Amino acid sequence: MDKSLTVIIPVFKTEKTMDKCLESVISQEYGHLEIILVDDGSPDSCPQKCDEWAAKDKRIKVIHKQNGGLSDARNHALDISTGDYITFVDSDDYIAQGTYVRLMDVINAHPEYDILEYEVDKFPNTKYNETLTFSPCVFHDISQYWLERQAYKHTYVWNKIFKKELFSHTRFITGVYFEDSHLMAEILPQTNCVATTDIGLYHYSWNPSGITANAGLKELSDLLSANIKLVNGFSHCSGFEKYYIYILNIQLNTFALGGQILLPDLKIKVLQSLGCKAFMKALILNLTGIKGLCKINRIFHRIKSAHW
């Protein structure tokens, strides 16, 4: 029997885009969809639009709640979801036609998949447009997925289908930025199999006022803390050096902005695979330790800022 899919869509101040989003979801051909709209106390016409859409389509459930942020909205939907699998959509984005039926065909054929990740069209119709692509792969070794395929660079939850069991004891952390990274850090240790596919497409819209475009100390500190959760678990795995440098760059930026040193001080033993800048950072790190490298980087940061 085909498995059911719950699509969770938080709604807040997106009255201009949510109709296009909902059109793309309800037009998906898959026959076992549950759609949960969460009105997160939106002050515009979104609450009314949610109710209007629910009146049109019996697959849609609506939650009206006081504003609590994206994580809280998603958690409310998870609490009432009934699908065998869960996916997420932001209400200013949209899904390509035929995406869910094809993805669920893969899921139904491979019940061992805990997570299925699919492709993303980032920032459509803008100068920043690019496509995140994947080849069809299956990872029973989660460290290979995370480190060798550098999945830490695309921790979005909206281009993934999750087995609902992964949320049995896990919810989004409220009050933090980069909540998707925090969730993946919680879920990965309980995941046995991740697959990627070139089937389907998620259209992710550019938001010039969004977190990614305007990350400051608080936002970067939250991203840093999410990744630090995985450092010890992956520190002895192949490909860890590039991941550590990735986290190190976040740590350098937070320290330059006045943040604390939170990343464990480790030496980089494998340097050959690193690019030129990463190679130099690793050398200085091995010589001075993370505290010394952070101080040196902060000096250069202040000189650059003064110059500009």
Side-chain angles (χ1 to χ4, degrees), residues 139-205:
F139 304 92
H140 294 283
D141 181 349
I142 302 304
S143 69
Q144 184 184 17
Y145 164 72
W146 191 251
L147 300 177
E148 295 182 21
R149 295 305 176 99
Q150 299 185 354
Y152 49 85
K153 293 183 177 180
H154 41 91
T155 59
Y156 329 113
V157 297
W158 30 253
N159 74 320
K160 299 174 179 65
I161 293 180
F162 299 86
K163 192 174 287 185
K164 187 181 180 181
E165 297 167 6
L166 295 173
F167 294 95
S168 296
H169 305 288
T170 304
R171 289 292 186 270
F172 288 89
I173 299 175
T174 60
V176 299
Y177 295 97
F178 292 101
E179 54 279 308
D180 290 8
S181 296
H182 281 272
L183 181 87
M184 292 302 292
E186 298 290 334
I187 277 183
L188 278 180
Q190 53 180 313
T191 301
N192 296 311
C193 182
V194 178
T196 58
T197 180
D198 56 1
I199 291 172
L201 188 64
Y202 185 101
H203 294 280
Y204 173 64
S205 300

Side-chain angles (χ1 to χ4, degrees), residues 121-297:
D121 175 31
K122 301 177 70 176
F123 320 132
N125 304 315
T126 74
K127 63 180 180 180
Y128 306 103
N129 181 237
E130 61 177 314
T131 303
L132 175 63
T133 61
F134 300 101
S135 56
C137 292
V138 180
F139 304 92
H140 294 283
D141 181 349
I142 302 304
S143 69
Q144 184 184 17
Y145 164 72
W146 191 251
L147 300 177
E148 295 182 21
R149 295 305 176 99
Q150 299 185 354
Y152 49 85
K153 293 183 177 180
H154 41 91
T155 59
Y156 329 113
V157 297
W158 30 253
N159 74 320
K160 299 174 179 65
I161 293 180
F162 299 86
K163 192 174 287 185
K164 187 181 180 181
E165 297 167 6
L166 295 173
F167 294 95
S168 296
H169 305 288
T170 304
R171 289 292 186 270
F172 288 89
I173 299 175
T174 60
V176 299
Y177 295 97
F178 292 101
E179 54 279 308
D180 290 8
S181 296
H182 281 272
L183 181 87
M184 292 302 292
E186 298 290 334
I187 277 183
L188 278 180
Q190 53 180 313
T191 301
N192 296 311
C193 182
V194 178
T196 58
T197 180
D198 56 1
I199 291 172
L201 188 64
Y202 185 101
H203 294 280
Y204 173 64
S205 300
W206 170 252
N207 181 0
S209 62
I211 295 170
T212 303
N214 300 277
L217 176 57
K218 167 60 177 170
E219 292 82 2
L220 290 174
S221 295
D222 284 347
L223 179 60
L224 176 63
S225 64
N227 282 279
I228 285 176
K229 295 176 183 178
L230 297 173
V231 168
N232 290 333
F234 289 135
S235 60
H236 300 292
C237 301
S238 174
F240 174 74
E241 289 75 21
K242 286 186 177 180
Y243 181 43
Y244 186 82
I245 292 294
Y246 169 82
I247 309 174
L248 177 63
N249 286 332
I250 304 172
Q251 174 66 88
L252 292 174
N253 287 331
T254 59
F255 188 79
L257 292 171
Q260 297 179 335
I261 296 176
L262 303 176
L263 183 63
D265 195 346
L266 302 177
K267 290 190 179 297
I268 303 297
K269 298 178 181 179
V270 180
L271 303 178
Q272 296 89 334
S273 62
L274 301 178
C276 182
K277 289 184 178 180
F279 181 85
M280 292 303 298
K281 287 178 182 176
L283 282 180
I284 299 172
L285 173 71
N286 289 345
L287 289 171
T288 68
I290 193 167
K291 187 175 182 179
L293 178 58
C294 281
K295 288 182 175 180
I296 293 170
N297 178 75

